[in-house]
Amino acid sequence: MARGPKKHLKRLNAPKHWMLDKLTGVFAPRPSTGPHKLRECLPLCIFLRNRLHYALTYDETKRILMQRLVKVDGKVRTDTTYPAGFMDVITIDKTAEYFRLIYDVKGRFAVHRITSDEAKYKLCKVKKVATAPKGVPYLVTHDARTIRYPNPDIKVHDTVVVDIASGKITGFVHLDSGNMCMITGGHNLGRVGTVMHRERHPGSFDIIHVKDALGHTFATRLSNVFIIGQANKPMVSLPRGKGIKLTIAEERDRRLATK
């Protein structure tokens, strides 16, 4: 009988995009509860050890974090298994490095370095718009922020630009056809394209049709679409590949051309 929350995560059951090998142990670091879901996040210890190679062991990542060197969205985080997720800004002041967690076309979190200016804001998808007691309007974003008194034009599924230092909304983009989006779930995870149109299915899932820069079209659920810019201008820099998925043959040709 299960009593209380699970405390362990077996290595084979860890999310594929963490890219942990099978044979280095039985367990994987189980992310703490936090703003991102277990299967859609990247614990800080994996980011420092397996991506940046700043540490060789879990113990070393703990020592780095306990020196209060790593910030996520402007706040120092000392929890080794803190769940950093999509659009989070990770700052390491000691090396003057800034990273934004953003998907590559294979659906993994790329090590995407950004400038200090770009690290001052992040994009958040609006999950819920409601009115609190005493008539205070508020919205909830995909990274569990509650922001009071938003612009009344902002609707669910729109994207807001949040200033990290103050937590205030500095701009927003509607989910409209013609705007640029990134896919954050499903088979097309990490692809970037332009919203073509929205198929409404009352009582079921709305479908969004997207066209990428090469002219390929694909469809996905509304919940997987994250608007990242107006027209074809992204508001955040994109990782290598710019979110354009190539076929295996095209990838091979590119690789051979660079040799």
Side-chain angles (χ1 to χ4, degrees), residues 8 17 25 51-53 73 125 136 182 195-196 209 242:
H8 293 74
H17 66 84
R51 298 290 177 277
L52 298 182
H53 304 294
D73 286 347
K125 181 177 175 176
V136 176
M182 185 174 231
V195 176
M196 302 301 285
H209 289 265
K242 304 292 178 212

Side-chain angles (χ1 to χ4, degrees), residues 188-208:
N188 294 305
L189 179 62
R191 290 179 77 171
V192 171
T194 308
V195 176
M196 302 301 285
H197 66 279
R198 174 177 173 177
E199 267 179 41
R200 291 179 189 273
H201 297 284
S204 184
F205 300 101
D206 286 10
I207 300 293
I208 303 278

Side-chain angles (χ1 to χ4, degrees), residues 18-19 23 27 49 56 58 70 72-73 83 88 109 111 114 124 137 146 157 161 164 175 187 191 229 231 244 253:
W18 291 4
M19 298 187 290
L23 301 177
F27 295 102
R49 182 185 65 185
L56 291 173
Y58 176 86
V70 179
V72 179
D73 286 347
D88 283 1
F109 282 117
V111 176
I114 53 175
C124 297
T146 302
H157 307 305
V161 184
I164 285 175
L175 176 77
H187 185 65
R191 290 179 77 171
I244 294 164
D253 295 341

Side-chain angles (χ1 to χ4, degrees), residues 166-177:
S166 64
K168 298 269 193 311
I169 294 174
T170 56
F172 64 93
V173 189
H174 288 304
L175 176 77
D176 278 336
S177 47

